[in-house]
Amino acid sequence: MVPNDVADFNLADEGRRRLLWADADMPVLAQIRERFTKEKPLAGVRMAACLHVTAETANLMRTLTAGGAEVRLCASNPLSTQDDVAAALVKHFDLPVFAIHGEDNETYYKHINQTIEHEPVLTMDDGCDLVTSITKDRPDLADRMRAGMEETTTGVIRLKAMHADGALKYPVIAVNDADTKHLFDNRYGTGQSTVDGIIRATDMLIAGKKVVVAGYGWCGRGFANRIRGMGALVAVTEIDPVRALEAAMDGFYVMSMKQATEWGDLFCTLTGNTSVIRREHFELMKDNVVVCNSGHFNVELDLDDLEEMAVEKRSGVREHVDQFILADGRRINVLAEGRLINLTAAEGHPASVMDMSFAVQALTSEYVMKNDISLGVHPVPDQIDDTVSRLKLKALGISLEELTPKQKKYLASWQEGT
Ligand code: NAD
Ligand code: ADE
C-alpha cells in the first residue's frame, strides 16, 4: 500500500461511492481528466497538496494523477477531513493521504511534513500552510520548487505579506483570484454550505432569526443572501465603507458589531480577519445565541476571551456545539470550535461549484509546468478563466451569443456617436 496515515480502511468503499457521486457533478474536471490521461502534462511531477480532504478534492487528486503527477495529500484543516474519502483515495486509488478527522495540532503539522518529505516541485495550498512550512523547515526545497497554487483568500493575503517581507522563496499563482473561482465558489459555495452547516449543527429554524454577518466580501455576500432567502432578518458588519454601502443598498441592515451583538440571534464571521467577535461583544450578547465562523482558520472568534469569561463550558451539548455559561447565566453556543462551519458540520461546497475551482487548479498546474514564472504572487491567466467558463456553460447546456462582424467593428470604433 502507498504511504499513508488515515483513520479507517473499513470506510473506503463508502468514500469511493461518495467521491464518484460528486464526480457526476464535476463535468469540467472530468473533461480535463480525460485530456490529461492522454497527454500526461504532469508526467513525473512530484506534488504536495494541502487541501480540505473531501469528495471533491479526491476528484482533483484523480485528475492530477491522470496527468502523470505523483501527488501526496494532507489536510488544510483538522476538522474538515472526510475519513471515508481519505481511506478510499489510499485503498482504491493508490494516492498517499495523511489526514485524520479531528487530528491535533501536532499531527496536523506531522502530516504536512509527510507530504513535504516527498520533495515536491509543485505545491497546492488552501491557506498557505505548505508554503510557510517549506519556507521555515525546508528552505533547500523552496529553492528547487517550480511553483505553488493557492486556493483561498486568506492564503493569498498571507502570500502577499510574505512576498512584501522578502520571505516568499518561490512563485505562487493566486487561484482564488480567478473569476471562475471566487465569483462562484466563495459566493454561492460558501453561501449555501454555511447555511447547511449551521442547520446540520443546530437544527434551528432560520425563518424570523436575526442573523449577523461579519464581512460583506464574496463569502459574506453569498451567505447573507442565502440566509435572507430562508426568511432571516440580516445585519452586516463591515470595515470597508464601499462594501458597507453596497450591503445597505442590497437591503441589509448595516451596523457596528457592538450594536449587532445586542440584536442578533445567530452570528457568522466571514472576514479572513482575527478577533472579529471578542470579549466586548460576548459581554453584550443575548442568552442562548449561536456563534460561528466560515471565514478562515479558527481566529475570527476570540475563543480565548470566551474561555476566560465563562464560568462553565459544556462541551458537546450537541455534536459540533460547545456551550459557554457566563457569570449571569447567559449561554453562548459556539459551533465547530470556531473553525469553518461549512466544512466541519456539513460537507463543504457542493461538487458543482468545486468543479470550476478545481478545474482552475488542474489547468494552472499544467500552466506552471509549461511556463517559467517569476518570483511573486501571480494571477491565473485569463485564458484559463475563459476555458473553464466555456466548458461549464457547455456542461450546463447554456449557449452564448456571438458578436456579428458589424458588432465587432462597432465596438472597435469611436467615430459613431448619438
Ligand atoms: P473578501 O476579501 O472578499 O471579503 C472579506 C470582507 O471582510 C471584506 O469586505 C473586508 O472589508 C471585511 N472585513 C475584514 N475585517 C473585518 C472586520 N473586522 N469586521 C467586518 N468586516 C471585516 O474575502 P472572501 O473571499 O469573502 O473570504 C473571506 C474569508 O473566507 C477568507 O478567510 C477566505 O479564505 C475564507 N473562505 C472560506 C471558505 C469556506 O469554505 N468557508 C471558502 C472561500 C473562502
Ligand atoms: N472548500 C470549500 N468546500 C470545499 C470542498 N467541498 N472541497 C474542498 N475544498 C473546499
Side-chain angles (χ1 to χ4, degrees):
M1 203 173 279
V2 293
N4 71 82
D5 191 12
V6 300
D8 183 359
F9 285 113
N10 291 320
L11 305 173
D13 290 355
E14 172 60 10
R16 180 170 54 184
R17 266 195 294 275
R18 287 187 51 248
L19 74 86
L20 293 178
W21 172 260
D23 196 43
D25 241 352
M26 304 181 86
V28 178
L29 197 61
Q31 277 190 57
I32 295 170
R33 187 157 63 237
E34 215 177 295
R35 178 171 68 76
F36 274 18
T37 305
K38 289 186 209 128
E39 296 177 9
K40 301 283 177 211
L42 301 173
V45 174
R46 282 191 311 282
M47 293 184 70
C50 180
L51 300 170
H52 299 291
V53 180
T54 64
E56 293 74 27
T57 298
N59 290 319
L60 171 61
M61 295 299 109
R62 292 172 61 212
T63 306
L64 300 173
T65 308
E70 296 164 18
V71 198
R72 283 191 175 197
L73 172 67
C74 63
S76 60
N77 177 317
L79 294 183
S80 62
T81 298
Q82 298 172 1
D83 285 327
D84 54 350
V85 170
L89 277 173
V90 175
K91 187 169 168 190
H92 297 308
F93 297 92
D94 288 331
L95 195 124
V97 181
F98 305 87
I100 297 176
H101 183 94
E103 62 198 16
D104 60 20
N105 215 41
E106 196 183 322
T107 313
Y108 177 81
Y109 280 101
K110 184 183 89 183
H111 285 158
I112 287 185
N113 285 330
Q114 284 173 298
T115 65
I116 296 174
E117 277 165 14
H118 176 50
E119 307 210 330
V121 295
L122 288 188
T123 59
M124 199 177 271
D125 252 317
D126 187 327
C128 188
D129 280 348
L130 263 182
V131 174
T132 48
S133 297
I134 288 172
T135 308
K136 281 193 221 142
D137 305 335
R138 289 294 305 269
D140 58 313
L141 278 186
D143 293 341
R144 283 183 272 149
M145 197 70 71
R146 189 157 180 94
M149 273 76 62
E150 173 52 56
E151 170 78 5
T152 200
T153 315
T154 293
V156 173
I157 292 169
R158 287 179 83 193
L159 286 162
K160 286 185 176 162
M162 276 180 92
H163 191 40
D165 228 17
L168 187 68
K169 296 295 177 220
Y170 63 93
V172 183
I173 307 280
V175 167
N176 177 75
D177 296 356
D179 284 346
T180 46
K181 198 282 181 182
H182 67 270
L183 283 176
F184 307 100
D185 169 313
N186 300 29
R187 183 163 39 170
Y188 302 111
T190 311
Q192 177 172 317
S193 61
T194 301
V195 175
D196 185 15
I198 291 168
I199 293 175
R200 289 200 210 190
T202 60
D203 196 28
M204 68 164 59
L205 179 74
I206 300 298
K209 281 277 177 320
K210 292 177 178 158
V211 178
V212 179
V213 180
Y216 201 63
W218 293 108
C219 295
R221 289 182 187 110
F223 174 64
N225 278 289
R226 290 296 170 267
I227 199 119
R228 174 164 68 180
M230 294 186 74
L233 296 166
V234 182
V236 167
T237 69
E238 250 299 342
I239 50 151
D240 179 315
V242 175
R243 293 210 165 155
L245 206 50
E246 184 187 351
M249 295 213 184
D250 283 345
F252 296 105
Y253 300 115
V254 179
M255 52 181 88
S256 69
M257 184 55 84
K258 233 173 177 164
Q259 292 167 318
T261 40
E262 293 180 78
W263 179 83
D265 303 312
L266 165 66
F267 297 78
C268 185
T269 51
L270 306 104
T271 72
N273 210 338
T274 190
S275 296
V276 176
I277 299 185
R278 50 189 180 270
R279 178 182 291 269
E280 68 199 80
H281 305 125
F282 292 126
E283 271 166 359
L284 297 173
M285 284 180 180
K286 297 188 293 194
D287 178 37
N288 211 24
V289 293
V290 171
V291 185
C292 65
N293 168 43
S294 204
H296 211 71
F297 296 138
N298 54 349
V299 295
E300 300 213 17
L301 312 177
D302 199 327
L303 295 184
D304 289 340
D305 276 358
L306 191 55
E307 295 265 1
E308 275 171 32
M309 292 165 68
V311 292
E312 189 189 346
K313 177 179 174 184
R314 296 180 186 150
S315 297
V317 285
R318 184 182 155 95
E319 198 186 356
H320 306 301
V321 188
D322 294 327
Q323 192 170 71
F324 293 80
I325 314 293
L326 303 187
D328 60 4
R330 274 177 301 137
R331 295 160 293 173
I332 295 183
N333 298 295
V334 175
L335 306 187
E337 300 170 24
R339 291 191 182 273
L340 304 186
I341 183 62
N342 64 328
L343 279 141
T344 306
E347 294 164 67
H349 303 354
S352 174
V353 83
M354 294 313 295
D355 187 27
M356 287 188 279
S357 310
F358 285 165
V360 176
Q361 286 281 17
L363 294 179
T364 304
S365 307
E366 179 183 33
Y367 171 80
V368 295
M369 290 312 297
K370 288 190 176 158
N371 296 276
D372 286 327
I373 320 285
S374 60
L375 183 64
V377 183
H378 299 278
V380 170
D382 288 345
Q383 182 57 44
I384 291 182
D385 261 336
D386 191 71
T387 304
V388 171
S389 53
R390 285 177 189 279
L391 288 175
K392 190 70 175 176
L393 283 171
K394 199 164 169 222
L396 293 170
I398 297 172
S399 311
L400 269 183
E401 273 295 287
E402 268 182 48
L403 285 173
T404 63
K406 185 179 172 187
Q407 287 169 338
K408 264 190 202 159
K409 193 170 164 218
Y410 180 78
L411 291 176
S413 67
W414 57 270
Q415 291 88 349
E416 221 178 297
T418 45

